[in-house]
Amino acid sequence: MIITRFKEDFYNVVRKTHVLMITSNDVDSLCTTAILSHLFTCDDVMFTVVPVDGYEELNDALRARQDYTSSIVLINCAVTCPILEILNVPPNSTVFVVDSRRPLNHFNVFEANQIRILVNEAERSSLGIPNLDDVIAKDEDSESDDDDDEYSEGSNDGGGRRNIIDRVTRRAVRKENKRLWESQKNKILWQYYEYNWHSTSTAVQMLELAAELDRASAELMWYAAIGVSSQYTDRLIPIEGYTDTCVTRMKPFITKFSPKNAAKSDDLLRISFGKELPLALYTHWNLYNAMAVNEYFACKTKNWTQKGEKNMKELLAKMGITLVETSRKFESIESKQKKELIEILDKEMGIGFASFTVHLGYSGQVNAADIARAAALRIESPHNVEPMDRFQAALRIIRAAISGPKDQQVILVDAFERSYQKMLKMIWHLVGTAINQSEIVSTGAFYLMSSQRAISAEVAESRHFLLNFTHFLLKAFACSKRGRSGKPLIVTFPLPQSEKQPDGWHVVTGIMPLATAFEDNTFKSIIGRAFERAAKDQQNMQLSFDSFDNSIITMRATDRARFFDKLQSILETSGI
Amino acid sequence: MDDSFQPDALLNAASSSGEAAEEIGNEEEDEELITPAEVLLKMKRAWQNEAAAPCILPHQYEILEILVDQIDGMDENLARVKDKTQLKVSIHRAELQRINYLTSDYMRIRLKKIEGNVRRIMTQHNERLRQGKPPLLSEQELRFAEKYAKAEAQLLGKSVLGFLPTPVQKIPHPEEDADLSSVYLQVLEDNVENVPLPDYTDPTAEIIVSLERDSIHLIPFAPIRDHLENDRVRLL
Amino acid sequence: MDAHEGIADAAIRLVQELKHNPNIIPPYDATLMRQCIDTLNRLYDQNARSLMDPTGDPSISPEQITTQREQRTAAIIYIWRCTTAYIHERACRIRSLRWRFGGILPISIRNNLSEAEIEFFNSYSSALADFQSSLGESGVNLMANTEPPKHLFVQVRVKEDYGEFETNDGNVVILNKNSLHSLPRQDCEMLIRRGILEIANP
């Protein structure tokens, strides 16, 4: 069932006994868990945290606890599939689902006992949930058959013949009604499940719960800021959705925890929200590098081509930025000049991005989007590193930003420079190679880039990497030639063999066409659904839908050709 | 003798109601009531003194046993509370753990001191009994000391002393240098007798340290031992 | 007399064994101990004979004989101190084991102790146990509450699979490897001490 009163029907219920939190290993879930853990600690509630990478680990965690009788909280896991049917949920537990994925599986919605999905009242009406009677059959048919039998017993011959005809007719009518009902049900469900998208960050929702409990603080607001930023940096929501959440849902907290004229002091935590360049990590890098790997500038200058570097220099000159300025570490530039540079770049990029920045005392500042990026890379992969190790490492990154200058130094330098910048360069390099060597083919219904190049598990198993790469690639592809913005892009990579991953498997993902007009500030995508349909009824194909995102799947290299064939016919008829 | 506690009276009082005031004093005097808060304060003071003192102090097991009983009782009560989300449950639990820590640490510190010099301490204990002073060790500690002394003697005997000529079969007693170490103390009462200390600049002279109420000093332990045992000062 | 310096070598080595390994209990060195005991007894006998037969070697003066006896006595006392110090220091370390491991010693440590030391450990453990059970309704546990309590709850990560664990107020938690838990500090102390749980850094 759906519950909308988070405090009364969720928090006050779960706090009475032990709470088991099973969380997906991504940044928004991490922040959600951090906020809930904080609330539980304040109230002396015993809890357990188990991070999981996908359905298999989730099921393992549940199977090991069949005698559990308290509350289970699933954070960004499994709301899109029928939980009681496919998972071994402990029979005497209550399962609360905190999830930003949509649509909610209708079996979960109509399950009246064990499953409780937290949904904001305001969102409920826009979810398009079908009526119970239209999609879940009632058990009437068996009764009616009995009536018929009774009826036929006490009748004479002449009446009997008429009765038989009646009976047959009645049965035929019932069958026809059932068929009509089924057909109608399928149509409704088809529409209901057509798109997949993400709703408000769960961390933001938990921050609101904290406020209801009078426990909101700057620290919790920081977690929520990273949570919503991660939805943007993970490419789950468009910038409009991100801005909308910040400006509406985060507003009361912005007012409370970052007043304009706050006093500066050594241990005071301030979080400000303001205009910012959507240029990843530029404050911890130099401008040249940050721009070179950035989608906007790379595509504008096509800097993966031979003329690329020349284009970049011309662009810089046009903007009035010297090469010297771009090669200096941004931090070391004088603040007046910094401001000027930022204004020039902002005008050029014209993207209208604003972000949360944390100021601790007098030391430097850190941007929530950058932290979300670094944390994503750390928490999502590689899968053969213990999920809990990744979870705690990412948490340390997030906390480093608010715990003081010393922590900032060591942890963040490592996270930013050694890991994330490397990944940005890798993405740029892969995009450039794919374009230069024409690795993208058109199959009529979609574009396909099938990479032969092996990449490390650190990136291949990370949703953050896959989606950023795919978006970048599509943009680069479309800007290289006209007429390329009407088809979706599917991308596959070979997965390196490991303990958890047998050899010869590929990861497959896809995104909507560039020209898609997204409504409601969300990335509504049909790709996941198309994958599911392409995989259905396929004998001899081994596909894994282990990820909680149905648009990221893995399969054997040898099954790809058949899969893409099927996918083609499905996408052709879906009329994109 | 008139000032001595009567342990039996205390223990009987302790096992009755939970939060009620306890009775101390012997039958001849009027019965004094001591509140739970005062018991806790005394325990804390005893723990502080014991932790800071270089040698073992006279035991405070009357207070200790009252508290240990209280802890057991409260623990049971808390386990029976149905709604564990009440703030007061958390507060009581935290308080319990604090008290538990005090009593446990007090016992641990003393046991370690006993183990460090068991024979000398037992001698001192018996000496004090003969002199009519308050006992050094509680009954339980005395039993422990006896067992420990025996175990230690067995160990030394079987490992080395038993193979040596009789005159050399001595168990070493560590020197007690309580006399040498200094402690921080605060004076609690008025009119506390001054303490003479040796003047290091002049072997024949003495420095007199006057002990005014609430003043804080760093003084060698030996001369103030008597004040400490009579609660005129406390260690920091 | 040069033999004097060599006399106490075994005793010095005993003490050094412990000095060089301050944090563990090295294997009981029965050989060295035997040497010390024999040396000491020999010295003692020599002194006894020297006292009973004052004449002896006519080439040595009475003063020299007395000096010899005094030197031997000094060596005897020195060896006595070293050997008793050896046993005493080991006994100290053995006692601290009881506070770390409870009443059962890990095999690896047991193998380093002499019979007498194992007996000592057991006697000490039982003296402690008797003491603990002599207080309070159901005894006290002095291995608990070893630190001033700051928070009621502590966050711990499970280092090895433990299975079902029941807290003081009846909640049953499954302690699977790598899961993170927030539990009452009191309930966790034993498992933290045993290394099954480790405190998670905030």
Side-chain angles (χ1 to χ4, degrees), chain A residues 15-16 43-44, chain B residues 83-85 90:
Chain A
R15 66 177 287 189
K16 293 199 181 133
D43 285 332
D44 289 336
Chain B
D83 184 5
K84 298 229 179 0
T85 62
S90 297

mmCIF file with all atom_site columns, all heavy atoms in Angstrom, chain A residues 15-16 43-44, chain B residues 83-85 90:
data_model
loop_
_atom_site.group_PDB
_atom_site.id
_atom_site.type_symbol
_atom_site.label_atom_id
_atom_site.label_alt_id
_atom_site.label_comp_id
_atom_site.label_asym_id
_atom_site.label_entity_id
_atom_site.label_seq_id
_atom_site.pdbx_PDB_ins_code
_atom_site.Cartn_x
_atom_site.Cartn_y
_atom_site.Cartn_z
_atom_site.occupancy
_atom_site.B_iso_or_equiv
_atom_site.pdbx_formal_charge
_atom_site.auth_seq_id
_atom_site.auth_comp_id
_atom_site.auth_asym_id
_atom_site.auth_atom_id
_atom_site.pdbx_PDB_model_num
ATOM 1  N N   . ARG A 1 15 ? 10.427 2.944  14.640 1.00 0.00 ? 15 ARG A N   1
ATOM 2  C CA  . ARG A 1 15 ? 11.356 3.249  15.724 1.00 0.00 ? 15 ARG A CA  1
ATOM 3  C C   . ARG A 1 15 ? 11.132 2.397  16.954 1.00 0.00 ? 15 ARG A C   1
ATOM 4  O O   . ARG A 1 15 ? 11.936 2.379  17.878 1.00 0.00 ? 15 ARG A O   1
ATOM 5  C CB  . ARG A 1 15 ? 11.260 4.725  16.095 1.00 0.00 ? 15 ARG A CB  1
ATOM 6  C CG  . ARG A 1 15 ? 9.930  5.083  16.678 1.00 0.00 ? 15 ARG A CG  1
ATOM 7  C CD  . ARG A 1 15 ? 9.876  6.523  17.111 1.00 0.00 ? 15 ARG A CD  1
ATOM 8  N NE  . ARG A 1 15 ? 10.662 6.721  18.303 1.00 0.00 ? 15 ARG A NE  1
ATOM 9  C CZ  . ARG A 1 15 ? 10.651 7.852  18.994 1.00 0.00 ? 15 ARG A CZ  1
ATOM 10 N NH1 . ARG A 1 15 ? 9.925  8.864  18.572 1.00 0.00 ? 15 ARG A NH1 1
ATOM 11 N NH2 . ARG A 1 15 ? 11.378 7.985  20.067 1.00 0.00 ? 15 ARG A NH2 1
ATOM 12 N N   . LYS A 1 16 ? 10.007 1.683  16.998 1.00 0.00 ? 16 LYS A N   1
ATOM 13 C CA  . LYS A 1 16 ? 9.697  0.934  18.216 1.00 0.00 ? 16 LYS A CA  1
ATOM 14 C C   . LYS A 1 16 ? 10.544 -0.327 18.342 1.00 0.00 ? 16 LYS A C   1
ATOM 15 O O   . LYS A 1 16 ? 10.724 -0.846 19.440 1.00 0.00 ? 16 LYS A O   1
ATOM 16 C CB  . LYS A 1 16 ? 8.227  0.538  18.225 1.00 0.00 ? 16 LYS A CB  1
ATOM 17 C CG  . LYS A 1 16 ? 7.321  1.726  18.356 1.00 0.00 ? 16 LYS A CG  1
ATOM 18 C CD  . LYS A 1 16 ? 5.932  1.321  18.837 1.00 0.00 ? 16 LYS A CD  1
ATOM 19 C CE  . LYS A 1 16 ? 5.049  2.544  18.927 1.00 0.00 ? 16 LYS A CE  1
ATOM 20 N NZ  . LYS A 1 16 ? 3.749  2.348  18.314 1.00 0.00 ? 16 LYS A NZ  1
ATOM 21 N N   . ASP A 1 43 ? 17.347 8.837  18.428 1.00 0.00 ? 43 ASP A N   1
ATOM 22 C CA  . ASP A 1 43 ? 16.239 8.276  19.191 1.00 0.00 ? 43 ASP A CA  1
ATOM 23 C C   . ASP A 1 43 ? 16.550 6.907  19.767 1.00 0.00 ? 43 ASP A C   1
ATOM 24 O O   . ASP A 1 43 ? 15.636 6.172  20.147 1.00 0.00 ? 43 ASP A O   1
ATOM 25 C CB  . ASP A 1 43 ? 14.996 8.177  18.283 1.00 0.00 ? 43 ASP A CB  1
ATOM 26 C CG  . ASP A 1 43 ? 14.373 9.538  18.053 1.00 0.00 ? 43 ASP A CG  1
ATOM 27 O OD1 . ASP A 1 43 ? 14.517 10.397 18.950 1.00 0.00 ? 43 ASP A OD1 1
ATOM 28 O OD2 . ASP A 1 43 ? 13.764 9.751  16.987 1.00 0.00 ? 43 ASP A OD2 1
ATOM 29 N N   . ASP A 1 44 ? 17.847 6.548  19.804 1.00 0.00 ? 44 ASP A N   1
ATOM 30 C CA  . ASP A 1 44 ? 18.231 5.255  20.385 1.00 0.00 ? 44 ASP A CA  1
ATOM 31 C C   . ASP A 1 44 ? 17.506 4.076  19.748 1.00 0.00 ? 44 ASP A C   1
ATOM 32 O O   . ASP A 1 44 ? 17.069 3.162  20.451 1.00 0.00 ? 44 ASP A O   1
ATOM 33 C CB  . ASP A 1 44 ? 17.963 5.238  21.899 1.00 0.00 ? 44 ASP A CB  1
ATOM 34 C CG  . ASP A 1 44 ? 18.928 6.129  22.648 1.00 0.00 ? 44 ASP A CG  1
ATOM 35 O OD1 . ASP A 1 44 ? 20.024 6.372  22.128 1.00 0.00 ? 44 ASP A OD1 1
ATOM 36 O OD2 . ASP A 1 44 ? 18.577 6.578  23.747 1.00 0.00 ? 44 ASP A OD2 1
ATOM 37 N N   . ASP B 2 83 ? 7.109  0.273  26.409 1.00 0.00 ? 83 ASP B N   1
ATOM 38 C CA  . ASP B 2 83 ? 7.411  1.196  25.321 1.00 0.00 ? 83 ASP B CA  1
ATOM 39 C C   . ASP B 2 83 ? 8.814  1.750  25.484 1.00 0.00 ? 83 ASP B C   1
ATOM 40 O O   . ASP B 2 83 ? 9.038  2.675  26.240 1.00 0.00 ? 83 ASP B O   1
ATOM 41 C CB  . ASP B 2 83 ? 6.391  2.351  25.332 1.00 0.00 ? 83 ASP B CB  1
ATOM 42 C CG  . ASP B 2 83 ? 6.626  3.282  24.161 1.00 0.00 ? 83 ASP B CG  1
ATOM 43 O OD1 . ASP B 2 83 ? 7.498  2.979  23.320 1.00 0.00 ? 83 ASP B OD1 1
ATOM 44 O OD2 . ASP B 2 83 ? 5.935  4.311  24.085 1.00 0.00 ? 83 ASP B OD2 1
ATOM 45 N N   . LYS B 2 84 ? 9.734  1.170  24.736 1.00 0.00 ? 84 LYS B N   1
ATOM 46 C CA  . LYS B 2 84 ? 11.116 1.536  24.957 1.00 0.00 ? 84 LYS B CA  1
ATOM 47 C C   . LYS B 2 84 ? 11.510 2.826  24.261 1.00 0.00 ? 84 LYS B C   1
ATOM 48 O O   . LYS B 2 84 ? 12.670 3.197  24.215 1.00 0.00 ? 84 LYS B O   1
ATOM 49 C CB  . LYS B 2 84 ? 12.027 0.401  24.461 1.00 0.00 ? 84 LYS B CB  1
ATOM 50 C CG  . LYS B 2 84 ? 11.815 -0.889 25.210 1.00 0.00 ? 84 LYS B CG  1
ATOM 51 C CD  . LYS B 2 84 ? 13.124 -1.457 25.667 1.00 0.00 ? 84 LYS B CD  1
ATOM 52 C CE  . LYS B 2 84 ? 13.025 -2.734 26.443 1.00 0.00 ? 84 LYS B CE  1
ATOM 53 N NZ  . LYS B 2 84 ? 11.830 -3.390 26.738 1.00 0.00 ? 84 LYS B NZ  1
ATOM 54 N N   . THR B 2 85 ? 10.532 3.483  23.599 1.00 0.00 ? 85 THR B N   1
ATOM 55 C CA  . THR B 2 85 ? 10.929 4.676  22.882 1.00 0.00 ? 85 THR B CA  1
ATOM 56 C C   . THR B 2 85 ? 10.836 5.921  23.753 1.00 0.00 ? 85 THR B C   1
ATOM 57 O O   . THR B 2 85 ? 11.145 7.013  23.330 1.00 0.00 ? 85 THR B O   1
ATOM 58 C CB  . THR B 2 85 ? 10.043 4.901  21.649 1.00 0.00 ? 85 THR B CB  1
ATOM 59 O OG1 . THR B 2 85 ? 8.708  5.097  22.110 1.00 0.00 ? 85 THR B OG1 1
ATOM 60 C CG2 . THR B 2 85 ? 10.097 3.714  20.747 1.00 0.00 ? 85 THR B CG2 1
ATOM 61 N N   . SER B 2 90 ? 15.814 5.995  27.921 1.00 0.00 ? 90 SER B N   1
ATOM 62 C CA  . SER B 2 90 ? 17.189 6.232  27.489 1.00 0.00 ? 90 SER B CA  1
ATOM 63 C C   . SER B 2 90 ? 17.992 6.903  28.582 1.00 0.00 ? 90 SER B C   1
ATOM 64 O O   . SER B 2 90 ? 19.140 6.552  28.820 1.00 0.00 ? 90 SER B O   1
ATOM 65 C CB  . SER B 2 90 ? 17.191 7.131  26.261 1.00 0.00 ? 90 SER B CB  1
ATOM 66 O OG  . SER B 2 90 ? 16.536 6.488  25.211 1.00 0.00 ? 90 SER B OG  1
#
